Amino acid sequence: MSAGDLPPVPDPSGQPRPPAAPQVEGPWRDERYRLEVGHHQVADQLFVARSGQGPPALESASADRPPGRWRAAALGAVYTVVPVTVVVAIFLWFTAEDRTGAYLIAAAVVAVVAVLAFGYHASDPTVVLRAGALAVAEVDTDGDGVDLPLYELRTIRVLDSPRGLALRLVGPNAQRLTLPFGLLEANPQLWDLVYNGIRHSDAAGAEIDPGTRRQLHLAPGDPETTA
């Protein structure tokens, strides 16, 4: 596809808006994700990456990541084992002459709950995406993050994982982002901006494997470069 066949690159205000991007996996909708979607103006002084720097953000989406398999299994085990353990500790407390066993069980329960609570908060399950006319980023709650130039991508790949499909983007300086499709597509305008950059980067020679081309509805590339 030649550059002349592509939609225009939007200006910093996002105009002209890119055409609608194709659906790949579908948006996150479940309330458990605590999904929040935002549409912004350049005058809002919200930026793609570090606050006060980088391209202005036009679209945003934030949500809690779906739990990984190990995390879901661990929480399930805790919900099953801890109540039984507490009952046993109470029984020993009132029936056994030596309450050492009850003390040990109670200490073990407290330790396990503390470790899981620390791990839950340390893992920071919230993911925040921001996109401007020319860049996309995943940022933390303070607004710090890595932004990639959407029209200078070097590698584009769709990844499959137990949490769902994700988009792996690699920029010109080897910066990389892995963005969950469920969150990208939860804000269609954000996904439109990202997809327009993908199309232009594809035309400029970005590396894209055949499977990713099919999933992103991109035209087949040169067999010599996509084999």
Side-chain angles (χ1 to χ4, degrees):
M1 180 181 292
S2 67
D5 298 325
L6 295 170
V9 177
D11 64 22
S13 70
Q15 300 300 325
R17 279 287 179 170
Q23 186 173 90
V24 177
E25 184 179 48
W28 286 346
R29 298 185 185 278
D30 198 317
E31 291 181 0
R32 69 192 175 104
Y33 292 120
R34 296 194 301 172
L35 177 68
E36 294 183 7
V37 171
H39 310 288
H40 312 281
Q41 303 294 326
V42 174
D44 290 344
Q45 296 300 306
L46 178 69
F47 294 85
V48 169
R50 186 181 297 274
S51 179
Q53 301 180 19
L58 300 173
E59 303 294 339
S60 65
S62 65
D64 288 345
R65 295 181 188 273
R69 287 180 178 176
W70 70 269
R71 189 176 173 191
L75 290 176
V78 169
Y79 291 144
T80 302
V81 173
V82 168
V84 175
T85 306
V86 170
V87 171
V88 172
I90 294 173
F91 177 79
L92 290 175
W93 179 268
F94 287 103
T95 61
E97 294 182 3
D98 184 359
R99 292 177 175 173
T100 303
Y103 283 123
L104 292 176
I105 292 174
V109 170
V110 170
V112 169
V113 172
V115 169
L116 287 174
F118 176 79
Y120 179 85
H121 292 290
S123 63
D124 190 13
T126 302
V127 55
V128 182
L129 304 185
R130 290 181 183 173
L134 305 176
V136 64
E138 179 180 343
V139 302
D140 59 25
T141 52
D142 295 325
D144 294 336
V146 176
D147 61 289
L148 292 186
L150 286 169
Y151 294 83
E152 302 174 39
L153 300 173
R154 297 294 186 262
T155 304
I156 301 162
R157 185 181 178 192
V158 175
L159 305 176
D160 195 0
S161 75
R163 289 180 172 178
L165 296 180
L167 181 65
R168 170 68 59 82
L169 303 177
V170 180
N173 297 316
Q175 325 98 297
R176 61 179 59 196
L177 288 175
T178 302
L179 311 175
F181 266 107
L183 190 52
L184 281 169
E185 296 188 273
N187 184 339
Q189 291 93 327
L190 188 154
W191 175 222
D192 294 345
L193 290 169
V194 173
Y195 188 73
N196 201 47
I198 287 174
R199 293 182 65 185
H200 279 262
S201 293
D202 176 27
E207 179 183 344
I208 310 176
D209 63 82
T212 294
R213 287 187 175 279
R214 289 192 296 271
Q215 289 173 299
L216 295 183
H217 302 267
L218 298 171
D222 184 346
E224 294 183 1
T225 61
T226 59

